[in-house]
Structures are given as structure tokens and as C-alpha cells.
């Protein structure tokens, strides 16, 4: 099955652990080489270094496993990297993590870190990203945080491809695809 996501569409990608969901998102973003097939983003075929740079600028990315690294990157520095730091900081306030801007990422809890990455994505969208790729964006959040994140993710005026097992997110998407052993099938 070919995966075609129309501009402005919100698509949930579900499936078993290890089925290739994260690999697919990383390939779309240019962080993982495609093993077969063709990836086009915005009508442009992926593959060149210039394309990778453009995709990184034009896509907001919420990773499942955030790499805090060995250097003390502050939450505010992550927000500033969005391209629209004031929007990202406002989103951080709305998500309840604005007071943590001076903290190193490695000191944040899983939920706080997830909310900070979500706020950064909001800044990326404000800076012009038209695609949001999110990998289990609600996994580390409490129930209230899951509902807030689902609402924020699916209310953005961008194309959304989200890997999730969270029913709140799935229920707010127009389409749901399931991946098994690297193959896709449409559920709804």
C-alpha cells in the first residue's frame, strides 16, 4: 500500500511494537534511509542532502525517545531552536512547563520533557512548518496531559502524521492506518 497524506490531513499510525512505525517517520524526516520505495514530501522527492535540510526546516518533529545528550541543553534552548521561540514559550506555558525553561533537559521528567518537545513543535509550526511528525507524543503524559496534547496536535493547521496507541489522539484523526511487519493497511 502506498501512503499518501493529503495537505492538512491528520493521520494516526498504529501497530505492534517493532512493526516499523518509527522507522517510517524517521525516513520521511530524512533521519533513516528508505530501504525501498520513494518518499516525497510536498511533491519533492526525498534523497539529497539539500532535501534533508529542507525537510528538517519544513517539518516539526516530536521524537518518542528524546536524546538529551551529554551536554546540558536547557529547555529554553530547545524551545528557541523551533524558529519561533516566543510561540514555543507560550505553548510551554499553556502546557504547564514554562517555569522549567532554565532547567537542563536531562533533569526533566518524561512527561515534562514530552510537553517541552510538544511546545517546540508548536513553535516550528508558527515558524512555517507545514508537516508535523510525532512519535508517541502522549506516551509519557498523564490523562489530562494526553487530552491536552491530543487537542493541540489535531487542531494545528498542518498535515499531521502521528504514531500513537492513544485512543484520544486516534479518535481526533481523519484516518487511521495500522502497520504490521512493515506493511500498511487502512483501518478508517
Amino acid at each position: 500500500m502506498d501512503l499518501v497524506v493529503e495537505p492538512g490531513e491528520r493521520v494516526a499510525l498504529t501497530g505492534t511494537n517493532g512493526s516499523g512505525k518509527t522507522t517510517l517517520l524517521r525516513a520521511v524526516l530524512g533521519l533513516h534511509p528508505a530501504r525501498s520505495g520513494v518518499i516525497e514530501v510536498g511533491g519533492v522527492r526525498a534523497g539529497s542532502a539539500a532535501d534533508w535540510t529542507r525537510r528538517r526546516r519544513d517539518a516539526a518533529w516530536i521524537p518518542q525517545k528524546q536524546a538529551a545528550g551529554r551536554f546540558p541543553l536547557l529547555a529554553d534552548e530547545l524551545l528557541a531552536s523551533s524558529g519561533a521561540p516566543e510561540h514555543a514559550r507560550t505553548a510551554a506555558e499553556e502546557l504547564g512547563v514554562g517555569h522549567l525553561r532554565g532547567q537542563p533537559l536531562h533533569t526533566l521528567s518524561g512527561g515534562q520533557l514530552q510537553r517541552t518537545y510538544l511546545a517546540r513543535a508548536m513553535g516550528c509550526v508558527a515558524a512555517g512548518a507545514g508537516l508535523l511528525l510525532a512519535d508517541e507524543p502522549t506516551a509519557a503524559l498523564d490523562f489530562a496531559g494526553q487530552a491536552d496534547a491530543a487537542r493541540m496536535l489535531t487542531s494545528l493547521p498542518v498535515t499531521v502524521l502521528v504514531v500513537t496507541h492513544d485512543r484520544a489522539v486516534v479518535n481526533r484523526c481523519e484516518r487511521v492506518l495500522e502497520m504490521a511487519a512493515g506493511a500498511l493497511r487502512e483501518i478508517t
Side-chain angles (χ1 to χ4, degrees):
M1 171 182 179
D2 290 341
L3 172 59
V4 176
V5 181
E6 297 297 329
E9 189 175 22
R10 288 147 185 83
V11 177
L13 184 58
T14 65
T16 59
N17 294 338
S19 63
K21 301 177 305 291
T22 296
T23 301
L24 175 61
L25 288 188
R26 292 177 55 81
V28 170
L29 194 58
L31 298 174
H32 188 87
R35 292 186 184 161
S36 64
V38 175
I39 297 174
E40 287 186 5
V41 178
V44 178
R45 189 175 186 154
S48 69
D51 176 65
W52 182 85
T53 301
R54 184 190 60 77
R55 277 188 285 157
R56 295 281 294 159
R57 182 183 62 246
D58 295 344
W61 168 238
I62 303 173
Q64 179 181 18
K65 295 179 184 175
Q66 297 87 3
R70 295 190 180 272
F71 54 94
L73 183 67
L74 301 179
D76 197 50
E77 292 170 322
L78 180 68
L79 297 172
S81 72
S82 70
E86 289 310 314
H87 282 91
R89 289 178 185 122
T90 298
E93 292 294 334
E94 291 173 15
L95 290 163
V97 292
H99 66 286
L100 301 172
R101 290 183 10 213
Q103 298 295 316
L105 291 181
H106 71 274
T107 67
L108 303 182
S109 73
Q112 291 169 333
L113 190 58
Q114 197 72 354
R115 289 171 192 254
T116 304
Y117 269 90
L118 179 55
R120 180 189 183 277
M122 301 300 107
C124 290
V125 169
L131 172 64
L132 173 63
L133 301 171
D135 192 0
E136 296 288 358
T138 62
L141 301 177
D142 56 29
F143 292 125
Q146 288 174 344
D148 289 344
R151 179 186 47 76
M152 287 182 95
L153 287 169
T154 58
S155 67
L156 293 170
V158 297
T159 305
V160 177
L161 181 58
V162 58
V163 168
T164 189
H165 293 100
D166 182 345
R167 283 283 144 211
V169 175
V170 168
N171 291 338
R172 295 182 70 102
C173 290
E174 288 99 14
R175 290 175 47 210
V176 181
L177 304 173
E178 181 180 59
M179 184 171 253
L184 287 170
R185 72 180 177 104
E186 190 151 353
I187 296 175
T188 59

